[in-house]
Amino acid sequence: MSAGKSPTMSIWDHINELRKRLFIAVMSLGITTLISFAVVPYLLDFITVPVGGIENLQSIEITENIGVFMRISLLSGFLFAFPIILSQLLMFIAPGLEKNEKRWIFITIPIATFLFLSGAAFAYFVMLPVAIPYLINFLGVPTTPRLLSYIKFTTSLIFWLGIGFELPIVVFALAKFHLVTPQTLLKQWRIAIVIISIVAAAITPTIDPVNMAILMLPLFLLYLISVLFAFIAIR
């Protein structure tokens, strides 16, 4: 085993370490979610802007408003706790890294946080203003969306695009462990486009080519950025 790694940790040591990291991650998410309770009304006004305001939504079930409150709080809590959750994941794998590799942990956290927030911002400021009017006015039938349905739709899109924007970090890690190379990534760009189109079809709220193209373009740019990250990793 290479220097800088921990050869003395047993399987139970790893399990205890994992339990410790998971506990800290879950506690941080719980705390930030509770803190988010105070700002849910403001976040609700903010997240309903693409549909024209909360007055254009309706709630028809007794527990619907509570479900919306908790869903917004959880998304907000995850956004705030993301750096802590990521740091716990990286600290769990840190004992298995070389000494010169551990310094990347301190660089990864702010970059990954920035990418996640960029994906969330892209979903809100680019995808939703295009998708919501298209869906509501489809076939020319008057539509008044349900509050819970709208919040599920928007929060899911924001969350998964935030996750999707983590692609450069994932590729960097794969390249660091010699599972992929930048040369291979460049050669397989056609396959990447096919995979990106499938992902875009799964994430995008509509099936029309315009919305898919709006999502595919930044995802492909992220793929190219991932190639750059792979070059950095092997250097």
Side-chain angles (χ1 to χ4, degrees):
M1 185 171 293
S2 301
K5 296 185 179 180
S6 175
T8 60
M9 290 184 70
S10 67
I11 183 64
W12 295 112
D13 292 328
H14 286 293
I15 292 175
N16 289 331
E17 181 69 12
L18 177 61
R19 183 171 59 183
K20 173 186 174 182
R21 299 304 173 190
L22 286 176
F23 177 77
I24 296 175
V26 172
M27 284 298 297
S28 64
L29 177 60
I31 292 172
T32 54
T33 299
L34 289 174
I35 294 175
S36 297
F37 285 179
V39 295
V40 167
Y42 306 101
L43 294 176
L44 183 59
D45 290 338
F46 181 73
I47 205 170
T48 55
V49 168
V51 78
I54 195 172
E55 62 273 9
N56 291 324
L57 301 169
Q58 61 178 346
S59 180
I60 61 176
E61 293 183 2
I62 295 177
T63 59
E64 189 165 343
N65 294 346
I66 296 178
V68 167
F69 183 92
M70 293 304 301
R71 194 173 183 90
I72 295 177
S73 299
L74 186 60
L75 178 61
S76 173
F78 184 83
L79 291 174
F80 285 118
F82 181 80
I84 302 175
I85 295 173
L86 179 61
S87 67
Q88 294 307 305
L89 172 63
L90 295 175
M91 290 175 69
F92 173 71
I93 67 175
L97 300 177
E98 303 287 350
K99 288 183 177 180
N100 64 332
E101 293 173 338
K102 292 180 180 180
R103 62 189 177 89
W104 288 104
I105 291 178
F106 301 101
I107 302 175
T108 299
I109 294 174
I111 294 177
T113 302
F114 172 78
L115 290 173
F116 184 85
L117 294 177
S118 297
F122 180 83
Y124 179 82
F125 291 106
V126 179
M127 289 297 299
L128 288 177
V130 175
I132 295 299
Y134 176 85
L135 291 171
I136 291 179
N137 298 309
F138 189 73
L139 294 180
V141 179
T143 303
T144 303
R146 282 183 55 185
L147 175 62
L148 182 59
S149 176
Y150 175 82
I151 295 300
K152 281 184 177 180
F153 173 78
T154 53
T155 54
S156 296
L157 185 64
I158 291 171
F159 174 80
W160 286 113
L161 271 178
I163 296 297
F165 270 54
E166 296 297 318
L167 178 61
I169 295 297
V170 174
V171 172
F172 177 88
L174 294 176
K176 200 68 178 173
F177 290 105
H178 308 290
L179 297 177
V180 298
T181 64
Q183 293 80 7
T184 301
L185 294 173
L186 286 174
K187 290 179 181 178
Q188 303 298 331
W189 66 270
R190 294 179 182 84
I191 297 177
I193 291 179
V194 174
I195 296 175
I196 288 172
S197 64
I198 295 174
V199 172
I203 295 179
T204 189
T206 66
I207 58 174
D208 66 286
V210 175
N211 278 286
M212 284 189 61
I214 292 175
L215 181 55
M216 286 179 64
L217 179 59
L219 288 180
F220 185 68
L221 291 176
L222 283 171
Y223 179 79
L224 297 179
I225 295 174
S226 300
V227 176
L228 175 62
F229 273 52
F231 272 111
I232 296 174
I234 64 174
R235 290 289 297 272

